[in-house]
Amino acid sequence: MNTQKIIDKIVETSQGSIDELINILNSDCDAYLFKQADQVRKKCCGNEIHLRAIIEFSNHCRCDCSYCGINRQNTSLTRYRMELDEIIDYAKKAYAAGYQTMVLQSGEDPWYTREKISYIIKGIKKLGDIAITLSVGERDYDTYKQWKVDGADRFLIKHETADEALYNSLHPHSSFKNRIQCLKDLKELGYQIGSGFMIGLPGQTLDTLAKDILLLKELDVDMAGMGPFIPHPKTKLKNYPVGSSYLTLKALALTRILLKRPHLPTTTALEVTNIKDRKNAFYTGANVIMRKVQPYKYRKLYEIYPNPSIHEKSIGKERKEVEDYIKIIGRKVANTRGDSIHL
Ligand code: SAH
């Protein structure tokens, strides 16, 4: 079968074999793939783009991820923790600016105990009809269960790479099996779940990428984020090249045609490697964009990869700029919470 026919088949049946996915990733049939992904996005998700506010509330981390700039071995980084009420206060500011989803992200920081996170969830839930997405890494089942009871709606925990041996070598503190178990537990507990992976990790092949996309399907994710790997000078992978944003767009488009319904953001990593590809992502399957809302003094320090220099603006002004941008590219700003789409 030629590549166009494979793409048509996947669009029609939502099924694809690993060889078929590799064929597409390998081919130069990108214009056709992107067009189909855009149509599937339009049909399944509409023209709305969802804006999410992200509060990166702590850069303390007990993990040793080989790619991540806030890994615990990076002693040159100034570490910060936001106070519980400060986090709630910034969620309040973001809500006032129009955001209806708060993504609470941090390194794996046990200082934020089960009870402290519960306090934050309840505090934010009192502010209004706000969806809460947690992105705080691996915790035990009972903790995830409690946070769901407290009102958390979604959980982002990327599988990072579907190659188990590669995963384990990049994450000496944990294991692929545990990461996947977390995703399954979270789904069982009723969370809308988000996974995702990096493109261009050293040792990754197109075969791995195809498996990454198939794993998203197997996990039946509600959201998936994929972004290029960006080397950070204070990590073991500092000398490796940045991942391809073109391949990132292909993986995004392929995810859209195979899975259809998940919310797919233009990841910040994609904006950092190539700002033009932020726009391109909206034409190749993406329907979500996230904006940081924590104080600027912390934004600089949440350095999972080198941050571009930032021009300080208010949360409201920044939101307005993104809204204008969405309108310019002919899409609509969503005015709902943007929960999971069930087809
Ligand atoms: N501690 C949380 C949040 C991790 S940071 C957790 O474990 O889920 C959020 C995401 O940033 C990671 O899942 C990873 O996919 C991405 N990331 C981290 N370092 C990166 C790098 N150097 N280049 C590209 N993406 C990176």
Side-chain angles (χ1 to χ4, degrees):
M1 236 195 285
N2 74 23
T3 307
Q4 275 203 18
K5 287 227 172 72
I6 299 174
I7 293 171
D8 290 342
K9 190 207 88 172
I10 295 178
V11 169
E12 208 173 296
T13 64
S14 300
Q15 298 295 331
S17 68
I18 182 151
D19 289 336
E20 288 170 336
L21 267 58
I22 294 170
N23 177 310
I24 296 170
L25 290 169
N26 228 338
S27 81
D28 53 10
C29 217
D30 46 315
Y32 191 72
L33 171 67
F34 293 159
K35 192 162 143 246
Q36 297 307 308
D38 196 43
Q39 283 179 5
V40 170
R41 185 271 309 153
K42 194 167 177 187
K43 186 161 163 249
C44 301
C45 314
N47 266 330
E48 295 183 329
I49 292 179
H50 299 277
L51 279 76
R52 320 288 201 199
I54 177 164
I55 304 176
E56 295 158 335
F57 61 89
S58 163
N59 68 352
H60 285 259
C61 194
R62 64 179 166 198
C63 302
D64 239 338
C65 307
S66 307
Y67 46 83
C68 184
I70 67 169
N71 76 79
R72 68 166 175 211
Q73 291 191 36
N74 181 0
T75 48
S76 59
L77 180 67
T78 305
R79 305 278 173 169
Y80 72 91
R81 288 188 175 112
M82 285 175 71
E83 289 299 328
L84 311 190
D85 288 323
E86 190 185 15
I87 299 171
I88 298 168
D89 192 40
Y90 273 82
K92 191 173 177 184
K93 291 189 207 302
Y95 185 54
Y99 292 98
Q100 286 168 273
T101 291
M102 302 300 151
V103 182
L104 304 179
Q105 191 176 89
S106 66
E108 285 201 12
D109 183 1
W111 185 85
Y112 295 88
T113 56
R114 185 193 295 189
E115 293 70 30
K116 282 180 180 152
I117 300 278
S118 290
Y119 176 88
I120 300 166
I121 295 169
K122 289 185 202 153
I124 294 178
K125 281 287 171 179
K126 269 192 225 133
L127 300 172
D129 184 21
I130 298 172
I132 296 183
T133 306
L134 298 175
S135 179
V136 299
E138 297 172 31
R139 296 280 180 120
D140 62 53
Y141 184 89
D142 289 340
T143 301
Y144 287 157
K145 191 170 168 185
Q146 183 59 47
W147 293 341
K148 185 76 186 58
V149 172
D150 295 329
D153 302 274
R154 312 177 189 146
F155 206 107
L156 278 182
I157 180 159
K158 299 188 187 182
H159 71 258
E160 314 294 4
T161 174
D163 176 335
E164 184 164 357
L166 179 60
Y167 184 96
N168 291 341
S169 77
L170 296 172
H171 306 92
H173 54 275
S174 179
S175 70
F176 181 72
K177 286 202 170 63
N178 196 56
R179 194 81 171 173
I180 300 300
Q181 193 56 48
C182 288
L183 277 155
K184 290 185 176 163
D185 289 345
L186 289 160
K187 182 146 196 105
E188 186 213 300
L189 286 166
Y191 283 92
Q192 298 167 38
I193 60 161
S195 186
F197 52 90
M198 279 168 279
I199 285 90
L201 285 170
Q204 181 189 64
T205 62
L206 290 187
D207 184 273
T208 324
L209 277 185
K211 282 191 193 139
D212 279 318
I213 297 168
L214 288 169
L215 181 55
L216 294 179
K217 183 163 170 66
E218 191 189 319
L219 293 166
D220 191 24
V221 296
D222 303 286
M223 317 168 269
M226 49 212 84
F229 156 71
I230 305 174
H232 185 289
K234 298 287 177 190
T235 62
K236 291 184 194 122
L237 303 184
K238 62 179 179 222
N239 292 323
Y240 286 91
V242 62
S244 156
S245 50
Y246 167 71
L247 199 52
T248 305
L249 292 179
K250 279 180 98 175
L252 178 78
L254 196 40
T255 303
R256 176 59 75 206
I257 64 166
L258 183 71
L259 278 78
K260 307 279 185 314
R261 70 179 187 93
H263 288 301
L264 303 177
T266 67
T267 46
T268 322
L270 191 58
E271 289 179 35
V272 171
T273 49
N274 189 345
I275 185 70
K276 281 200 215 101
D277 281 330
R278 174 172 85 174
K279 182 167 165 201
N280 289 337
F282 285 126
Y283 293 108
T284 61
N287 70 327
V288 172
I289 187 163
M290 289 196 211
R291 277 288 161 268
K292 299 183 184 213
V293 297
Q294 74 270 24
Y296 277 86
K297 61 180 177 194
Y298 302 135
R299 294 191 201 187
K300 287 196 269 298
L301 300 173
Y302 196 79
E303 206 190 46
I304 51 183
Y305 38 75
N307 282 331
S309 58
I310 11 186
H311 184 60
E312 297 199 15
K313 295 170 202 146
S314 71
I315 296 173
K317 182 148 190 277
E318 195 160 18
R319 162 115 190 168
K320 174 83 174 46
E321 280 180 10
V322 180
E323 288 188 356
D324 290 345
Y325 169 77
I326 290 171
K327 288 171 200 152
I328 288 166
I329 64 168
R331 301 279 275 279
K332 270 179 66 183
V333 178
N335 59 5
T336 61
R337 290 180 7 158
D339 283 298
S340 176
I341 300 166
H342 290 282
L343 299 174

